[in-house]
């Protein structure tokens, strides 16, 4: 069993054989006084303080202190925002990176190698880590429309993303069952269509200030938020709020079931483009990041020309607002502007249009449902989740290679990997994390670690040690039989597995 169990597996991790670093009451955290660095320093000091049970002071100079955790920005590292180094000696811990986001990755690696020996005594084995990610886009897409998740829930999820060095939180903000973000230009969306979810209420939505709070919380942890408004299908929450979007002019009924594909916009109604312009202009204005996701999936009742016109129109609105477009796999069959990202998901669809789009220069994001859809049941005995893409055990979510999964897709078109969790059957944070863990750790390693460094047995031995962390934080998780989990200490909440 490895005694350091870093996930995702770093490019290089070597034990130096020296004595461990011991965090004592004298340990201080030192960081240069630039505001973005101080923010990471405070995050790190807070983490160490919570683990040790006593506050860790943040200073701008070492001043001869005997025990130091030092955060440094340096160019002396491989290219890329997220490259980092961790060096632990008996006297000090040095975390260095090119950027604050890289420092967050270093802090997380430190967090994963700390062990607690007795009450409040923390030790860190002497080691050296040199690391950088394989893919620049490593995400989780979460459906807050089928069931609503609060700002606090999302902060927990963001913490989990950061812990596995994932850097994108994709929010699926709208669907047939509910509209989850308040847009100033279209107040009825949340006034009329936010109070429902699958199976009834209570629903919920984020105010612009709450969305900003989520975005800021994520940014501080090196995670960017990509908001999705799903059009031109999956729009019953919109047509329920604005009757002008339907041919009869009457609003549709609310919908709380789990069928897909029935709702749609209509390009021949004058209200439609006005609506799309308002909605995507507002959303782009609330998004500091580069990308806005336009959905585009499963529009089963629209002919292809109309679909392509609407996708083209929405894409132009997003681009006019200064953002780049991401869309689900189906948009591959429409003319795409350079820079568009197409997200692969549907393992049952003909991949030809997707392959053609990638060959024609689209960037692709890999979320194959049979590997990366963490709302699929683990096995036939899993109480929650769906089965349309089969069962996804831990090994299924680990053993796959994004660059060769779909023959014909040029390896260099792959920008990254996103796990996804749709929430038709998941009603709260505990149910959500029971589906994410341990599989999110597996997908994170697929996204971060080079294929030649990946091995399921090695991963399984490391992930076995992460259960203690999930328990400590209070996350429910699934004890996959593919892992030999350490025996739970007497009195541990085995039921949470
Ligand atoms: C497919 S993913 C969908 C969603 C469902 C999901 C359930 C995608 C683009 N469309 O509408 O919630 O399957 O796994």
């Amino acid at each position: 069993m490895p005694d350091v169990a870093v996930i995702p597996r770093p490019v290089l991790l070597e034990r130096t054989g020296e004595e461990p670093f011991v965090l004592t009451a004298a340990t201080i955290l030192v960081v240069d006084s630039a505001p973005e660095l101080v923010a990471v320093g405070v995050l790190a000091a807070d983490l160490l303080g919570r683990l040790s049970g006593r506050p860790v002071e943040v200073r701008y100079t070492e001043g001869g202190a005997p025990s130091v955790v030092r955060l440094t920005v340096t160019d002396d590292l491989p290219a890329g925002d997220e490259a980092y180094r961790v060096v632990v000696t008996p006297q000090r811990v040095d975390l260095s990176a090119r950027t604050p986001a890289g420092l967050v990755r270093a802090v997380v690696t430190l967090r994963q190698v700390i062990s607690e020996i007795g009450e409040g005594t923390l030790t860190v084995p002497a080691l050296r880590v040199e690391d950088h990610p394989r893919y620049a886009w490593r995400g989780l897409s979460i459906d807050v429309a089928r069931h609503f998740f609060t700002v606090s829930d999302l902060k927990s999820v963001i913490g989990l993303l950061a812990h596995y060095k994932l850097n994108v939180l994709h929010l699926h903000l709208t669907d047939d069952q509910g509209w989850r973000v308040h847009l100033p230009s279209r107040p009825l969306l949340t006034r009329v269509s936010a109070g429902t979810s699958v199976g009834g209420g209570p629903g919920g939505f984020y105010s612009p200030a709450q969305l900003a709070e989520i975005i800021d919380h994520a940014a501080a942890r090196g995670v960017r938020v990509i908001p999705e408004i799903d059009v031109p299908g999956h729009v019953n929450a919109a047509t329920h709020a604005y009757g002008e979007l339907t041919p009869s002019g009457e609003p549709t009924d609310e919908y709380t079931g789990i069928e897909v594909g029935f709702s749609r916009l209509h390009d021949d109604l004058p209200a439609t483009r006005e609506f799309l312009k308002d909605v995507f202009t507002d959303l782009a204005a609330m998004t500091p990041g580069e990308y806005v996701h336009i959905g585009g999936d499963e529009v089963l009742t629209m002919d292809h020309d109309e679909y392509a016109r609407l996708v083209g129109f929405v894409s132009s609105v997003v681009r006019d607002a200064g953002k780049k477009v991401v869309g689900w796999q189906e948009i591959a069959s429409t003319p795409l502007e350079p820079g568009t990202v197409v997200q692969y998901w549907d393992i049952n669809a003909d991949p030809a249009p997707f392959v053609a789009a990638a060959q024609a220069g689209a960037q692709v994001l890999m979320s194959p449902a049979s590997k990366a859809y963490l709302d699929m049941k683990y096995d036939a005995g899993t109480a929650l989740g769906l089965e349309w893409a089969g069962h996804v055990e831990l090994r299924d979510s680990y053993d796959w290679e994004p660059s060769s999964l779909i023959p014909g897709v040029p390896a260099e078109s792959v920008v990254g990997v996103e796990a996804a969790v749709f929430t038709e059957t998941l009603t709260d944070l505990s149910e959500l994390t029971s589906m994410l863990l341990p599989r999110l750790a597996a997908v994170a390693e697929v996204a971060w670690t080079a294929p030649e460094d990946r091995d399921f047995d090695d991963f399984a031995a490391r992930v076995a040690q992460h259960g203690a962390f999930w328990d400590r934080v209070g996350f429910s998780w699934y004890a996959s039989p593919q892992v030999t989990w350490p025996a739970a200490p007497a009195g541990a909440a085995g039921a949470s597995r």
Side-chain angles (χ1 to χ4, degrees):
M1 197 185 287
D3 57 352
V4 288
V6 179
I7 297 176
R9 185 187 164 110
V11 173
L12 175 105
L13 184 159
E14 60 190 19
R15 303 288 297 269
T16 62
E18 290 176 285
E19 291 300 307
F21 175 85
V22 182
L23 192 98
T24 69
T27 304
I28 59 165
L29 191 135
V30 181
V31 64
D32 291 339
S33 67
E36 23 3 311
L37 295 180
V38 174
V40 184
V42 168
L43 211 64
D46 183 55
L47 188 78
L48 297 174
R50 270 184 286 128
L51 283 171
S52 67
R54 57 176 173 261
V56 172
E57 204 185 315
V58 179
R59 292 200 202 149
Y60 299 146
T61 56
E62 294 191 20
S67 175
V68 170
V69 177
R70 180 79 161 108
L71 273 56
T72 312
V73 167
T74 170
D75 287 338
D76 165 35
L77 281 166
D81 279 1
E82 295 174 288
Y84 73 91
R85 176 181 301 136
V86 174
V87 180
V88 181
T89 67
Q91 297 75 34
R92 53 189 291 126
V93 173
D94 274 292
L95 309 179
S96 37
R98 289 174 167 275
T99 65
L103 282 175
V104 175
R105 309 298 169 239
V107 169
V108 164
T109 294
L110 173 64
R111 168 69 186 90
Q112 290 194 359
V113 299
I114 287 177
S115 48
E116 191 171 352
I117 49 164
E119 277 297 288
T121 306
L122 302 181
T123 70
V124 191
L127 48 71
R128 177 180 190 87
V129 174
E130 302 271 354
D131 200 13
H132 60 266
R134 176 185 190 193
Y135 287 117
W137 185 321
R138 306 175 309 280
L140 172 68
S141 167
I142 165 168
D143 169 13
V144 295
R146 269 55 173 271
H147 282 101
F148 181 65
F149 291 82
T150 63
V151 172
S152 157
D153 293 338
L154 288 188
K155 287 181 177 176
S156 295
V157 171
I158 289 164
L160 195 54
L161 297 189
H163 194 68
Y164 291 108
K165 300 190 174 84
L166 294 164
N167 64 358
V168 170
L169 174 65
H170 163 181
L171 293 177
H172 181 75
L173 288 166
T174 69
D175 216 302
D176 294 315
Q177 298 85 349
W179 192 279
R180 306 295 181 215
V181 61
H182 184 77
L183 301 177
S185 66
R186 294 285 174 155
L188 295 187
L189 290 168
T190 46
R191 197 175 304 154
V192 176
S193 290
T196 41
S197 56
V198 168
F205 68 91
Y206 312 117
S207 68
Q210 287 174 319
L211 184 63
E213 184 182 343
I214 294 162
I215 291 170
D216 289 349
H217 187 89
R221 287 151 185 81
V223 177
R224 30 190 224 270
V225 173
I226 300 187
E228 175 191 349
I229 286 181
D230 197 353
V231 294
H234 289 272
V235 290
N236 190 68
T239 55
H240 177 56
Y242 287 96
E244 68 206 46
L245 298 173
T246 75
S248 68
E250 291 299 315
T252 54
D253 291 340
E254 66 179 37
Y255 182 72
T256 59
I258 65 166
E259 296 301 314
V260 296
F262 59 88
S263 62
R264 55 165 295 177
L265 297 173
H266 294 266
D267 193 33
D268 58 0
L269 296 178
T272 297
R273 290 189 179 215
E274 284 301 308
F275 175 80
L276 291 170
K277 188 158 193 300
D278 285 351
V279 158
F280 281 92
T281 304
D282 272 3
L283 187 68
M286 292 158 69
T287 306
E290 242 185 314
Y291 288 99
V292 166
H293 202 304
I294 64 168
D297 59 312
E298 296 176 318
V299 201
L300 306 182
T301 62
M302 191 181 291
D303 73 47
H304 185 262
D305 277 2
E306 184 178 357
Y307 174 77
R309 285 198 307 274
L310 285 171
V311 166
F313 178 72
V314 172
S315 301
S316 68
V317 173
V318 169
R319 277 193 304 276
D320 288 349
K323 304 296 174 187
K324 293 183 186 164
V325 173
V326 195
W328 294 109
Q329 183 175 347
E330 286 90 333
I331 70 163
S333 67
T334 71
L336 300 177
E337 291 289 323
T340 301
V341 174
V342 183
Q343 184 165 13
Y344 179 78
W345 67 277
D346 189 357
I347 53 161
N348 297 322
D350 175 8
F354 177 74
V355 172
Q359 289 177 349
Q363 301 193 294
V364 306
L365 179 61
M366 299 303 290
S367 306
S370 53
K371 318 279 181 198
Y373 267 37
L374 307 187
D375 57 314
M376 292 301 121
K377 291 179 185 291
Y378 294 94
D379 63 26
T382 311
L384 302 169
L386 303 177
E387 290 175 298
W388 67 263
H391 296 148
V392 180
E393 245 298 352
L394 181 60
R395 186 175 198 131
D396 300 307
S397 55
Y398 188 86
D399 260 343
W400 62 287
E401 171 43 36
S403 69
S404 59
L405 184 73
I406 305 178
V409 170
E412 53 298 349
S413 67
V414 179
V415 291
V417 172
E418 244 185 48
V421 61
F422 288 88
T423 59
E424 286 93 336
T425 65
L426 309 176
T427 64
D428 62 21
L429 183 63
S430 167
E431 293 182 350
L432 186 78
T433 64
S434 75
M435 299 305 273
L436 296 181
L437 297 170
R439 292 180 294 191
L440 187 66
V443 179
E445 185 151 305
V446 172
W448 179 281
T449 305
E452 58 275 18
D453 292 335
R454 286 202 277 118
D455 172 76
F456 180 72
D457 293 334
D458 179 74
F459 168 77
R462 281 177 286 122
V463 84
Q465 308 217 13
H466 283 231
F469 169 75
W470 305 329
D471 286 341
R472 181 187 176 107
V473 184
F475 286 146
S476 299
W477 55 284
Y478 164 70
S480 166
Q482 298 179 333
V483 172
T484 309
W485 304 96
S496 73
R497 309 189 177 181

